[in-house]
Amino acid sequence: MKKHSKQLLLSAVFTVLLVSTLFAQPAQTLIEVNVAPDRGDWIYKAGEKVKFNLSVTKNNIPVQHISVRYEAGPEMMPPVTRGNLVLKNGTAVIDGGTLKEPGFLRCKVVAIYEGKEYVGLATAAFDPESIRPTTNEPGDFMQFWENAKAANAKIPMDAKMRLLPERCTEKVNVYEVGIQNYKIGSRLYGILSVPKGEGKYPAILRVPGAGVRPYNGDIANAERGVITLEIGIHGIPVTMDASVYENIRAAALDGYQNFNLDDRDRYYYKRVYLGCLRAVDFIFSLPEFDGSNIVVMGGSQGGALSIVTAALDSRIKGLVAFYPALADLTGYLHNRAGGWPHLFNEANLAFNNLPRKIETSKYYDVVNFARHLKVPGFYSWGFNDVTCPPTSTYSAYNVITAPKTLYLAEETGHWTYPEQWSKATTFALKLLGR
């Protein structure tokens, strides 16, 4: 019994670590800079004016006579207005102006207390469901991916599984798996968690956010009677010491998002997108799988991969995508925010603003996959995200014609509240009959 309790604790710890690493709420600071639009839903019509309510607090009490500077303008773009204020009573109202077209207007405030800067921001939406993407779909988009899928299908899967006894629980077996993908010798790795009881089970494919890291697997949902496979994307085992990933992240895979962007057939994400489909192949090969019910879920880069996988593989029954990355990448070329990894923003424009790179981006832009979705999806994000700006996520969301549910947590940035994950998990399990 003691051993079982310890195993359950480890399972819970693994799950908490996963969520806290990828979707952690920022820690509170001594001084809180609170900024919010003057409407409860943060949404305005184009041309309407927004005012931002500001308070600077310490121990939840307004800080008097504190100096702040502020700026406001379209998100991720140069500010239109700037100013300085001294808050006599710790509060103020800032005139944010307006947007004449659908989009997002952001107000950023920096307060200075005892020589240290504290930052707060808020982002008002203007007709967000009218935002249209700047990218366009190449005429041979789906044919390109059908050809890629056909070529990948010829590669033997050569699946290998290694039991991880230290991660197993009374109800679940946990494995590290390696699957051949993209070309002979190239492999995809992940953590597979399989319920021990007899019978057939539905499945969840968890696709990762950006970065290079180890993975722990989704043991909690496996204990609910669902096969779970959490994959990495870089073709390296996912159970090595953390220092190994730190070294790889800083060296060989530094800036992987830009690798071979000038060639649509060799761009880094081609192997990644096909790897997600190969992971689905692997799940369908498992004797414990029920042969039908599977959903895909992830956040950020994982949100993008959820949309891509569901668009390219008709076996997927539904998806969950938090603040999907890689959406409307060309936004910056049209004077508005583009999606992570910000291929064409000011920092990357000098070496990426080339016709071949722009054209390649269209074959990997999540917007163009979103157009082809046919299954139900749960989507969630906030307006303050500076990693995957809401202009870009709405660009993808608005072209989806399949059933879709959007759960907004307006004040969030590139993180989630537990309530968002709770609703997402409920959505996924309902699709799976759990």
Side-chain angles (χ1 to χ4, degrees), residues 363-383:
Y363 289 89
Y364 295 88
D365 199 305
V366 162
V367 165
N368 291 330
F369 293 93
R371 302 180 199 273
H372 294 274
L373 286 172
K374 294 181 173 61
V375 295
F378 178 95
Y379 307 86
S380 187
W381 52 73
F383 292 174

PDB file of all heavy atoms in Angstrom, residues 363-383:
ATOM      1  N   TYR A 363       3.365  26.834 -46.408  1.00  0.00           N
ATOM      2  CA  TYR A 363       3.112  25.394 -46.340  1.00  0.00           C
ATOM      3  C   TYR A 363       3.113  24.883 -44.903  1.00  0.00           C
ATOM      4  O   TYR A 363       2.705  23.741 -44.646  1.00  0.00           O
ATOM      5  CB  TYR A 363       4.148  24.635 -47.169  1.00  0.00           C
ATOM      6  CG  TYR A 363       3.962  24.812 -48.655  1.00  0.00           C
ATOM      7  CD1 TYR A 363       4.575  25.866 -49.328  1.00  0.00           C
ATOM      8  CD2 TYR A 363       3.154  23.947 -49.395  1.00  0.00           C
ATOM      9  CE1 TYR A 363       4.405  26.056 -50.693  1.00  0.00           C
ATOM     10  CE2 TYR A 363       2.971  24.122 -50.759  1.00  0.00           C
ATOM     11  CZ  TYR A 363       3.594  25.177 -51.403  1.00  0.00           C
ATOM     12  OH  TYR A 363       3.411  25.357 -52.763  1.00  0.00           O
ATOM     13  N   TYR A 364       3.543  25.711 -43.961  1.00  0.00           N
ATOM     14  CA  TYR A 364       3.634  25.304 -42.561  1.00  0.00           C
ATOM     15  C   TYR A 364       2.800  26.194 -41.652  1.00  0.00           C
ATOM     16  O   TYR A 364       2.749  25.960 -40.442  1.00  0.00           O
ATOM     17  CB  TYR A 364       5.110  25.311 -42.126  1.00  0.00           C
ATOM     18  CG  TYR A 364       5.899  24.273 -42.877  1.00  0.00           C
ATOM     19  CD1 TYR A 364       6.484  24.560 -44.113  1.00  0.00           C
ATOM     20  CD2 TYR A 364       6.018  22.979 -42.385  1.00  0.00           C
ATOM     21  CE1 TYR A 364       7.169  23.594 -44.833  1.00  0.00           C
ATOM     22  CE2 TYR A 364       6.704  21.999 -43.097  1.00  0.00           C
ATOM     23  CZ  TYR A 364       7.274  22.314 -44.316  1.00  0.00           C
ATOM     24  OH  TYR A 364       7.939  21.340 -45.029  1.00  0.00           O
ATOM     25  N   ASP A 365       2.151  27.187 -42.205  1.00  0.00           N
ATOM     26  CA  ASP A 365       1.356  28.114 -41.409  1.00  0.00           C
ATOM     27  C   ASP A 365       0.085  27.423 -40.922  1.00  0.00           C
ATOM     28  O   ASP A 365      -0.666  26.830 -41.702  1.00  0.00           O
ATOM     29  CB  ASP A 365       0.986  29.347 -42.246  1.00  0.00           C
ATOM     30  CG  ASP A 365       0.565  30.522 -41.392  1.00  0.00           C
ATOM     31  OD1 ASP A 365      -0.356  30.356 -40.572  1.00  0.00           O
ATOM     32  OD2 ASP A 365       1.169  31.611 -41.536  1.00  0.00           O
ATOM     33  N   VAL A 366      -0.166  27.507 -39.630  1.00  0.00           N
ATOM     34  CA  VAL A 366      -1.307  26.837 -39.017  1.00  0.00           C
ATOM     35  C   VAL A 366      -2.632  27.326 -39.597  1.00  0.00           C
ATOM     36  O   VAL A 366      -3.611  26.580 -39.643  1.00  0.00           O
ATOM     37  CB  VAL A 366      -1.252  27.025 -37.488  1.00  0.00           C
ATOM     38  CG1 VAL A 366      -2.596  26.760 -36.831  1.00  0.00           C
ATOM     39  CG2 VAL A 366      -0.201  26.092 -36.909  1.00  0.00           C
ATOM     40  N   VAL A 367      -2.667  28.574 -40.049  1.00  0.00           N
ATOM     41  CA  VAL A 367      -3.892  29.082 -40.672  1.00  0.00           C
ATOM     42  C   VAL A 367      -4.338  28.171 -41.806  1.00  0.00           C
ATOM     43  O   VAL A 367      -5.536  27.852 -41.943  1.00  0.00           O
ATOM     44  CB  VAL A 367      -3.678  30.518 -41.198  1.00  0.00           C
ATOM     45  CG1 VAL A 367      -4.803  30.921 -42.156  1.00  0.00           C
ATOM     46  CG2 VAL A 367      -3.593  31.500 -40.039  1.00  0.00           C
ATOM     47  N   ASN A 368      -3.398  27.729 -42.624  1.00  0.00           N
ATOM     48  CA  ASN A 368      -3.764  26.942 -43.794  1.00  0.00           C
ATOM     49  C   ASN A 368      -4.175  25.523 -43.435  1.00  0.00           C
ATOM     50  O   ASN A 368      -4.907  24.884 -44.199  1.00  0.00           O
ATOM     51  CB  ASN A 368      -2.614  26.959 -44.804  1.00  0.00           C
ATOM     52  CG  ASN A 368      -2.431  28.328 -45.421  1.00  0.00           C
ATOM     53  OD1 ASN A 368      -3.394  29.096 -45.557  1.00  0.00           O
ATOM     54  ND2 ASN A 368      -1.196  28.682 -45.771  1.00  0.00           N
ATOM     55  N   PHE A 369      -3.742  25.030 -42.298  1.00  0.00           N
ATOM     56  CA  PHE A 369      -4.247  23.745 -41.802  1.00  0.00           C
ATOM     57  C   PHE A 369      -5.614  23.930 -41.162  1.00  0.00           C
ATOM     58  O   PHE A 369      -6.493  23.068 -41.300  1.00  0.00           O
ATOM     59  CB  PHE A 369      -3.261  23.144 -40.799  1.00  0.00           C
ATOM     60  CG  PHE A 369      -1.954  22.734 -41.409  1.00  0.00           C
ATOM     61  CD1 PHE A 369      -0.876  23.604 -41.419  1.00  0.00           C
ATOM     62  CD2 PHE A 369      -1.805  21.478 -41.985  1.00  0.00           C
ATOM     63  CE1 PHE A 369       0.333  23.236 -41.996  1.00  0.00           C
ATOM     64  CE2 PHE A 369      -0.599  21.101 -42.568  1.00  0.00           C
ATOM     65  CZ  PHE A 369       0.474  21.978 -42.570  1.00  0.00           C
ATOM     66  N   ALA A 370      -5.786  25.042 -40.453  1.00  0.00           N
ATOM     67  CA  ALA A 370      -7.064  25.296 -39.791  1.00  0.00           C
ATOM     68  C   ALA A 370      -8.215  25.321 -40.792  1.00  0.00           C
ATOM     69  O   ALA A 370      -9.338  24.920 -40.474  1.00  0.00           O
ATOM     70  CB  ALA A 370      -6.996  26.623 -39.030  1.00  0.00           C
ATOM     71  N   ARG A 371      -7.939  25.783 -42.000  1.00  0.00           N
ATOM     72  CA  ARG A 371      -8.978  25.829 -43.033  1.00  0.00           C
ATOM     73  C   ARG A 371      -9.533  24.435 -43.336  1.00  0.00           C
ATOM     74  O   ARG A 371     -10.661  24.306 -43.827  1.00  0.00           O
ATOM     75  CB  ARG A 371      -8.423  26.415 -44.327  1.00  0.00           C
ATOM     76  CG  ARG A 371      -7.834  27.816 -44.234  1.00  0.00           C
ATOM     77  CD  ARG A 371      -7.340  28.251 -45.603  1.00  0.00           C
ATOM     78  NE  ARG A 371      -6.393  29.357 -45.559  1.00  0.00           N
ATOM     79  CZ  ARG A 371      -6.710  30.639 -45.551  1.00  0.00           C
ATOM     80  NH1 ARG A 371      -7.987  30.980 -45.587  1.00  0.00           N
ATOM     81  NH2 ARG A 371      -5.777  31.575 -45.511  1.00  0.00           N
ATOM     82  N   HIS A 372      -8.755  23.391 -43.064  1.00  0.00           N
ATOM     83  CA  HIS A 372      -9.134  22.034 -43.462  1.00  0.00           C
ATOM     84  C   HIS A 372      -9.636  21.175 -42.297  1.00  0.00           C
ATOM     85  O   HIS A 372      -9.891  19.984 -42.483  1.00  0.00           O
ATOM     86  CB  HIS A 372      -7.945  21.345 -44.133  1.00  0.00           C
ATOM     87  CG  HIS A 372      -7.546  21.977 -45.432  1.00  0.00           C
ATOM     88  ND1 HIS A 372      -8.130  21.641 -46.636  1.00  0.00           N
ATOM     89  CD2 HIS A 372      -6.646  22.960 -45.701  1.00  0.00           C
ATOM     90  CE1 HIS A 372      -7.600  22.376 -47.605  1.00  0.00           C
ATOM     91  NE2 HIS A 372      -6.700  23.177 -47.065  1.00  0.00           N
ATOM     92  N   LEU A 373      -9.796  21.763 -41.125  1.00  0.00           N
ATOM     93  CA  LEU A 373     -10.289  20.997 -39.985  1.00  0.00           C
ATOM     94  C   LEU A 373     -11.736  20.565 -40.201  1.00  0.00           C
ATOM     95  O   LEU A 373     -12.564  21.334 -40.695  1.00  0.00           O
ATOM     96  CB  LEU A 373     -10.196  21.826 -38.707  1.00  0.00           C
ATOM     97  CG  LEU A 373      -8.793  22.020 -38.125  1.00  0.00           C
ATOM     98  CD1 LEU A 373      -8.830  23.011 -36.976  1.00  0.00           C
ATOM     99  CD2 LEU A 373      -8.202  20.689 -37.656  1.00  0.00           C
ATOM    100  N   LYS A 374     -12.013  19.342 -39.780  1.00  0.00           N
ATOM    101  CA  LYS A 374     -13.373  18.807 -39.907  1.00  0.00           C
ATOM    102  C   LYS A 374     -13.900  18.243 -38.595  1.00  0.00           C
ATOM    103  O   LYS A 374     -15.023  17.733 -38.554  1.00  0.00           O
ATOM    104  CB  LYS A 374     -13.406  17.722 -40.992  1.00  0.00           C
ATOM    105  CG  LYS A 374     -13.134  18.234 -42.404  1.00  0.00           C
ATOM    106  CD  LYS A 374     -13.205  17.106 -43.420  1.00  0.00           C
ATOM    107  CE  LYS A 374     -13.094  17.642 -44.850  1.00  0.00           C
ATOM    108  NZ  LYS A 374     -11.824  18.331 -45.099  1.00  0.00           N
ATOM    109  N   VAL A 375     -13.099  18.309 -37.529  1.00  0.00           N
ATOM    110  CA  VAL A 375     -13.490  17.699 -36.258  1.00  0.00           C
ATOM    111  C   VAL A 375     -13.624  18.770 -35.171  1.00  0.00           C
ATOM    112  O   VAL A 375     -13.060  19.863 -35.289  1.00  0.00           O
ATOM    113  CB  VAL A 375     -12.473  16.626 -35.825  1.00  0.00           C
ATOM    114  CG1 VAL A 375     -12.472  15.462 -36.811  1.00  0.00           C
ATOM    115  CG2 VAL A 375     -11.078  17.229 -35.680  1.00  0.00           C
ATOM    116  N   PRO A 376     -14.366  18.467 -34.101  1.00  0.00           N
ATOM    117  CA  PRO A 376     -14.556  19.453 -33.030  1.00  0.00           C
ATOM    118  C   PRO A 376     -13.237  19.822 -32.361  1.00  0.00           C
ATOM    119  O   PRO A 376     -12.345  18.982 -32.199  1.00  0.00           O
ATOM    120  CB  PRO A 376     -15.486  18.724 -32.047  1.00  0.00           C
ATOM    121  CG  PRO A 376     -16.103  17.618 -32.824  1.00  0.00           C
ATOM    122  CD  PRO A 376     -15.097  17.216 -33.854  1.00  0.00           C
ATOM    123  N   GLY A 377     -13.140  21.084 -31.966  1.00  0.00           N
ATOM    124  CA  GLY A 377     -11.935  21.554 -31.301  1.00  0.00           C
ATOM    125  C   GLY A 377     -12.256  22.464 -30.131  1.00  0.00           C
ATOM    126  O   GLY A 377     -13.238  23.221 -30.167  1.00  0.00           O
ATOM    127  N   PHE A 378     -11.422  22.380 -29.104  1.00  0.00           N
ATOM    128  CA  PHE A 378     -11.485  23.283 -27.957  1.00  0.00           C
ATOM    129  C   PHE A 378     -10.262  24.178 -28.020  1.00  0.00           C
ATOM    130  O   PHE A 378      -9.133  23.693 -28.124  1.00  0.00           O
ATOM    131  CB  PHE A 378     -11.489  22.490 -26.644  1.00  0.00           C
ATOM    132  CG  PHE A 378     -11.495  23.349 -25.409  1.00  0.00           C
ATOM    133  CD1 PHE A 378     -12.683  23.668 -24.770  1.00  0.00           C
ATOM    134  CD2 PHE A 378     -10.303  23.838 -24.867  1.00  0.00           C
ATOM    135  CE1 PHE A 378     -12.694  24.443 -23.622  1.00  0.00           C
ATOM    136  CE2 PHE A 378     -10.307  24.622 -23.724  1.00  0.00           C
ATOM    137  CZ  PHE A 378     -11.506  24.932 -23.104  1.00  0.00           C
ATOM    138  N   TYR A 379     -10.475  25.496 -27.961  1.00  0.00           N
ATOM    139  CA  TYR A 379      -9.396  26.458 -28.108  1.00  0.00           C
ATOM    140  C   TYR A 379      -9.445  27.420 -26.922  1.00  0.00           C
ATOM    141  O   TYR A 379     -10.522  27.792 -26.449  1.00  0.00           O
ATOM    142  CB  TYR A 379      -9.538  27.231 -29.416  1.00  0.00           C
ATOM    143  CG  TYR A 379      -9.669  26.329 -30.619  1.00  0.00           C
ATOM    144  CD1 TYR A 379     -10.919  25.832 -31.016  1.00  0.00           C
ATOM    145  CD2 TYR A 379      -8.548  25.945 -31.348  1.00  0.00           C
ATOM    146  CE1 TYR A 379     -11.042  24.983 -32.107  1.00  0.00           C
ATOM    147  CE2 TYR A 379      -8.668  25.093 -32.442  1.00  0.00           C
ATOM    148  CZ  TYR A 379      -9.914  24.613 -32.809  1.00  0.00           C
ATOM    149  OH  TYR A 379     -10.031  23.770 -33.878  1.00  0.00           O
ATOM    150  N   SER A 380      -8.264  27.830 -26.461  1.00  0.00           N
ATOM    151  CA  SER A 380      -8.238  28.725 -25.317  1.00  0.00           C
ATOM    152  C   SER A 380      -6.979  29.577 -25.335  1.00  0.00           C
ATOM    153  O   SER A 380      -5.893  29.077 -25.650  1.00  0.00           O
ATOM    154  CB  SER A 380      -8.314  27.928 -24.009  1.00  0.00           C
ATOM    155  OG  SER A 380      -8.458  28.779 -22.888  1.00  0.00           O
ATOM    156  N   TRP A 381      -7.138  30.869 -24.996  1.00  0.00           N
ATOM    157  CA  TRP A 381      -5.996  31.767 -24.892  1.00  0.00           C
ATOM    158  C   TRP A 381      -6.425  33.058 -24.191  1.00  0.00           C
ATOM    159  O   TRP A 381      -7.590  33.237 -23.835  1.00  0.00           O
ATOM    160  CB  TRP A 381      -5.403  32.107 -26.257  1.00  0.00           C
ATOM    161  CG  TRP A 381      -6.369  32.608 -27.282  1.00  0.00           C
ATOM    162  CD1 TRP A 381      -6.972  33.837 -27.339  1.00  0.00           C
ATOM    163  CD2 TRP A 381      -6.847  31.893 -28.433  1.00  0.00           C
ATOM    164  NE1 TRP A 381      -7.784  33.935 -28.447  1.00  0.00           N
ATOM    165  CE2 TRP A 381      -7.720  32.752 -29.138  1.00  0.00           C
ATOM    166  CE3 TRP A 381      -6.606  30.627 -28.948  1.00  0.00           C
ATOM    167  CZ2 TRP A 381      -8.363  32.376 -30.312  1.00  0.00           C
ATOM    168  CZ3 TRP A 381      -7.244  30.244 -30.115  1.00  0.00           C
ATOM    169  CH2 TRP A 381      -8.103  31.120 -30.788  1.00  0.00           C
ATOM    170  N   GLY A 382      -5.458  33.931 -23.996  1.00  0.00           N
ATOM    171  CA  GLY A 382      -5.725  35.232 -23.410  1.00  0.00           C
ATOM    172  C   GLY A 382      -5.270  36.342 -24.342  1.00  0.00           C
ATOM    173  O   GLY A 382      -4.582  36.102 -25.334  1.00  0.00           O
ATOM    174  N   PHE A 383      -5.623  37.565 -23.994  1.00  0.00           N
ATOM    175  CA  PHE A 383      -5.316  38.713 -24.846  1.00  0.00           C
ATOM    176  C   PHE A 383      -3.919  39.283 -24.584  1.00  0.00           C
ATOM    177  O   PHE A 383      -3.409  40.055 -25.396  1.00  0.00           O
ATOM    178  CB  PHE A 383      -6.340  39.823 -24.633  1.00  0.00           C
ATOM    179  CG  PHE A 383      -7.729  39.491 -25.130  1.00  0.00           C
ATOM    180  CD1 PHE A 383      -8.783  40.354 -24.879  1.00  0.00           C
ATOM    181  CD2 PHE A 383      -7.979  38.335 -25.857  1.00  0.00           C
ATOM    182  CE1 PHE A 383     -10.059  40.078 -25.346  1.00  0.00           C
ATOM    183  CE2 PHE A 383      -9.239  38.035 -26.321  1.00  0.00           C
ATOM    184  CZ  PHE A 383     -10.292  38.909 -26.060  1.00  0.00           C
TER     185      PHE A 383
END
